[in-house]
Amino acid sequence: HVIRAKMEKLVAKVDLETMTTKQFISLLSKKMGGADLSKKKKFIKASITEILDAMAEEEEDSASSGEEEEESSEEEEEQKPKKRNSGLTAVKLISDDMAAFLGKGKKMARTELVKGLWEYIKKHDLQNPNDRREILLDGPMKKLFGVDKVTMFSINKYVGAHIHPFKPVDLDSNTSSATPRKR
């Protein structure tokens, strides 16, 4: 599907934590020569979720399987060299609360942690049916994050509070000041 292919390229280049769906669709439309995507909003929203899930799984798979990494290393080196155990794949100490919630130990990579949270979210059907980007937290997750709901984009700020160096949640700061992604 043409829209999906363009979306996959675009998702990797933008900061979805600060960009709204409307802004994303507008940018996607520009990348597609000004195409009218207003009737594709539902598809685009669902695809964003799928793409983010796939990206998290790819990062998890590449971080956890040495054999597959070796087989595909030539392809990856052409795109950009990957550093092992750095950035999102670095194994770090997690909070006692998060470790108890996930039940997978005190050290893990951010990708593994996020994957565990998404498994829980999907298993307990916590996504708002009217806006799949929004996650309506149940009792255990409310206790963990201290709020009633999060978006799939803001959840990373709450996750960061549970990963060493345990930075407190700051919803006022703009995440776009982070280093721009290069591809």
Side-chain angles (χ1 to χ4, degrees):
H1 201 258
V2 177
I3 295 174
R4 174 70 182 240
K6 293 274 188 191
M7 286 179 66
E8 288 175 0
K9 290 179 182 177
L10 192 57
V11 163
K13 296 178 182 176
V14 299
D15 183 359
L16 290 175
E17 286 190 33
T18 57
M19 181 176 272
T20 65
T21 304
K22 188 174 183 177
Q23 291 170 328
F24 182 84
I25 292 171
S26 174
L27 186 59
L28 180 62
S29 173
K30 287 178 189 172
K31 295 286 184 186
M32 296 182 67
D36 180 13
L37 301 175
S38 59
K39 294 180 181 176
K40 299 281 187 182
K41 285 181 185 177
K42 192 172 185 177
F43 169 78
I44 292 170
K45 287 179 183 179
S47 295
I48 289 172
T49 303
E50 292 170 5
I51 292 167
L52 293 174
D53 287 348
M55 288 171 66
E57 287 176 16
E58 283 178 19
E59 290 168 358
E60 175 63 25
D61 289 345
S62 67
S64 65
S65 64
E67 290 179 22
E68 291 180 26
E69 181 101 12
E70 288 176 20
E71 291 173 11
S72 63
S73 64
E74 290 178 21
E75 294 172 15
E76 289 177 19
E77 284 177 21
E78 288 175 16
Q79 293 174 1
K80 64 177 184 176
K82 289 207 172 199
K83 296 178 183 176
R84 298 195 196 294
N85 292 331
S86 63
L88 298 175
T89 61
V91 176
K92 294 187 175 187
L93 186 65
I94 63 171
S95 71
D96 292 335
D97 291 339
M98 183 62 78
F101 180 81
L102 293 173
K104 296 182 180 180
K106 284 282 294 168
K107 287 188 173 187
M108 63 178 48
R110 178 180 281 268
T111 52
E112 186 179 350
L113 190 149
V114 170
K115 186 176 181 180
L117 288 173
W118 273 106
E119 286 171 1
Y120 182 90
I121 289 165
K122 288 179 179 180
K123 180 180 177 183
H124 293 89
D125 195 28
L126 299 179
Q127 281 182 286
N128 180 343
N130 298 322
D131 183 358
R132 306 282 296 162
R133 294 172 302 164
E134 189 175 67
I135 302 154
L136 306 173
L137 305 184
D138 62 358
M141 287 193 81
K142 283 181 186 178
K143 183 180 177 195
L144 186 65
F145 294 127
V147 293
D148 292 333
K149 62 184 176 182
V150 295
T151 67
M152 68 172 53
F153 309 120
S154 70
I155 194 169
N156 283 319
K157 290 190 177 195
Y158 293 97
V159 166
H162 291 278
I163 300 175
H164 186 270
F166 309 113
K167 295 178 185 173
V169 177
D170 178 10
L171 297 176
D172 295 327
S173 71
N174 187 353
T175 57
S176 64
S177 64
T179 307
R181 295 181 192 171
K182 294 181 182 176
R183 278 220 154 187

